[in-house]
Amino acid sequence: MFFLKIAGTIPRNKQTEFEQTIRYVYSQIPATCENYTLSKDFDQQDAYQFISYWRIRHDMEDFSHSPAYLMIKGAFQTLGRIFEDKSGVIMDLTN
């Protein structure tokens, strides 16, 4: 299982626009994605995290270059600031 994660801060006055953009992108996430979520930090009200989970690395890598993912990344960059952008392995399911 693999993950793709972007975390950043969005000022309060831009959060509605940011959340609307993410909701729009949700309709473009491929069915090969096992799960995805946008979460907001309870303690730091301007911090958000988008994370998606994938069974196949190639599917995750394809998504990371897709217009949908670039729109998510662009929303973070344009409306706020990214402080984490990474992908990795959660567990190896090949055994």
Side-chain angles (χ1 to χ4, degrees):
M1 187 74 93
F2 304 90
F3 74 91
L4 189 58
K5 175 183 176 182
I6 300 178
T9 55
I10 306 295
R12 290 181 190 206
N13 65 332
K14 301 201 177 192
Q15 289 180 0
T16 299
E17 181 180 357
F18 175 76
E19 291 173 10
Q20 288 172 341
T21 301
I22 301 302
R23 278 191 210 97
Y24 170 75
V25 173
Y26 276 1
S27 66
Q28 299 176 29
I29 295 175
T32 54
C33 180
E34 291 292 313
N35 198 1
Y36 54 89
T37 187
L38 176 70
S39 58
K40 189 172 181 181
D41 191 301
F42 183 76
D43 293 324
Q44 187 181 352
Q45 290 295 308
D46 62 345
Y48 284 85
Q49 169 181 283
F50 172 82
I51 190 162
S52 58
Y53 302 97
W54 307 81
R55 284 199 181 277
I56 300 169
R57 179 186 297 269
H58 179 72
D59 292 339
M60 178 195 70
E61 290 170 349
D62 283 351
F63 178 68
S64 73
H65 301 299
S66 73
Y69 185 75
L70 296 176
M71 188 177 290
I72 293 169
K73 191 171 183 174
F76 271 103
Q77 291 171 325
T78 303
L79 300 171
R81 182 180 67 83
I82 293 176
F83 58 74
E84 187 174 26
D85 182 5
K86 67 181 186 178
S87 62
V89 178
I90 297 172
M91 67 176 84
D92 186 354
L93 298 176
T94 59
N95 296 348

